[in-house]
Amino acid sequence: MHTRTLDGNAIARELREGLTRRIAALAASGVRPGLAVVQVGDHAASKVYLQNKIKACGEAGLHSEHIELPEAAGETALLGCIRILNNDTRIHGILVQLPLPRGFSVDRVLETIAPAKDVDGFHPTNVGLLVVGNPRFVPCTPLGVMKLLEHEGIALEGRHAVVVGRSNIVGKPMALLLLQKGATVTICNSRTPDLGAMTSQADILVVATGRPRLVTAGMVKPGAVVIDVGITRLADGKLAGDVDFQSVLGTASCITPVPGGVGPMTIAMLLENTVMSAERFSDTRGGA
């Protein structure tokens, strides 16, 4: 079987080009979408992710602010910074880069972000809206996966989707989105007994555990669509996904590569959510 590689870079580029018309319309009403990204401490991987996000904002014509706080500033300083951004009319999206240093309450930090500016979709209010099927902001990675599947014309209704990973960032919202599109959804994690028995039933397999090359060819149903969300830098410096890409070739019908698959889609959805937030702000001003 020929396995088609799904090019997240190309799809994300197409989606970002589509945002330019919406950004131009906002500019005509005097609104420039603005995203603030807040980083606490000196987390090497976070710096790379943030640089990519900020670069994408500049290329799309968005206003972006990168706020760096030292770990020693503490949680109180971070919460104060978020409250200032909540009231800043130039900022339509607020992203606090995770993970936070030890001692910070992730729940308290996320709950402080104004739900209307929570472009990551992590605030409990936005999570609840997603659960009831009336989302305001959908977490960027699961949304990117759904846009990728839609772009490729991959049917979901009536198919069995297996999500490996139970995080609030990817696994849980991913399962909800697939369920809302009519898929039958099974959620597993790295501790599921006989994980391969579950994954080999999947028509659509989404893997997001952070364990490199966890899923091999024998765990994949012939003809399945495989979405690899994980990315890990190995000891030799190479990047690897949660799926053993080479071994799955010839078994899966489609697969996302790492890198170049889900990652670019995540950034495109961050821009999408920020533009959507700015559009809502423009509407409340009557477009003037």
Side-chain angles (χ1 to χ4, degrees):
M1 176 185 297
H2 172 70
T3 300
R4 183 160 58 95
T5 300
L6 303 179
D7 188 345
N9 280 316
I11 299 169
R13 191 160 48 245
E14 183 178 323
L15 293 172
R16 285 165 60 173
E17 288 171 357
L19 289 175
T20 58
R21 293 185 293 274
R22 293 164 62 185
I23 294 169
L26 283 166
S29 68
V31 176
R32 184 185 183 192
L35 174 69
V37 293
V38 185
Q39 178 185 359
V40 182
D42 189 24
H43 190 273
S46 292
K47 279 192 171 182
V48 175
Y49 295 144
L50 286 177
Q51 287 168 359
N52 290 338
K53 292 168 183 175
I54 293 166
K55 179 182 177 183
C57 283
E59 291 172 349
L62 275 67
H63 166 65
S64 66
E65 295 186 14
H66 181 195
I67 300 165
E68 297 181 87
L69 297 176
E71 184 175 341
E75 185 179 307
T76 300
L78 173 58
L79 298 180
C81 174
I82 292 170
R83 293 186 181 105
I84 291 171
L85 294 170
N86 284 342
N87 295 310
D88 188 339
T89 56
R90 300 171 304 159
I91 299 299
H92 306 98
I94 301 171
L95 181 157
V96 176
Q97 184 66 37
L98 302 178
L100 291 170
R102 186 186 302 272
F104 284 68
S105 169
V106 174
D107 289 343
R108 195 156 43 235
V109 168
L110 295 179
E111 288 171 8
T112 301
I113 299 172
K117 294 188 177 185
D118 169 41
V119 289
D120 257 341
F122 296 159
H123 190 283
T125 297
N126 289 327
V127 173
L129 289 171
L130 175 59
V131 170
V132 299
N134 185 30
R136 172 167 40 202
F137 293 116
V138 175
C140 299
T141 297
L143 181 59
V145 171
M146 295 302 288
K147 291 282 188 179
L148 185 151
L149 294 171
E150 178 185 346
H151 183 277
E152 295 300 299
I154 295 169
L156 298 175
E157 188 171 358
R159 305 187 78 186
H160 185 191
V162 174
V163 178
V164 185
R166 58 185 175 182
S167 74
N168 293 331
I169 295 173
V170 181
K172 292 176 185 176
M174 188 77 254
L176 286 167
L177 292 170
L178 290 164
L179 188 66
Q180 289 165 9
K181 288 295 184 180
T184 298
V185 181
T186 300
I187 306 177
C188 303
N189 58 71
S190 59
R191 296 177 181 84
T192 298
D194 198 358
L195 180 61
M198 304 301 296
T199 58
S200 60
Q201 299 177 41
D203 301 308
I204 313 291
L205 178 60
V206 182
V207 191
T209 66
R211 294 183 58 180
R213 299 172 182 160
L214 173 67
V215 173
T216 57
M219 301 167 69
V220 175
K221 179 181 179 179
V225 174
V226 179
I227 306 296
D228 189 350
V229 179
I231 184 166
T232 302
R233 188 170 295 280
L234 303 176
D236 61 5
K238 295 180 180 179
L239 295 174
D242 289 356
V243 178
D244 187 349
F245 183 88
Q246 290 298 327
S247 79
V248 170
L249 293 178
T251 300
S253 62
C254 305
I255 188 171
T256 56
V258 176
V262 174
M265 298 297 296
T266 298
I267 294 176
M269 293 304 98
L270 176 63
L271 301 182
E272 162 83 21
N273 280 350
T274 303
V275 170
M276 184 167 59
S277 180
E279 288 170 339
R280 289 172 180 154
F281 173 77
S282 179
D283 289 342
T284 63
R285 299 170 68 234

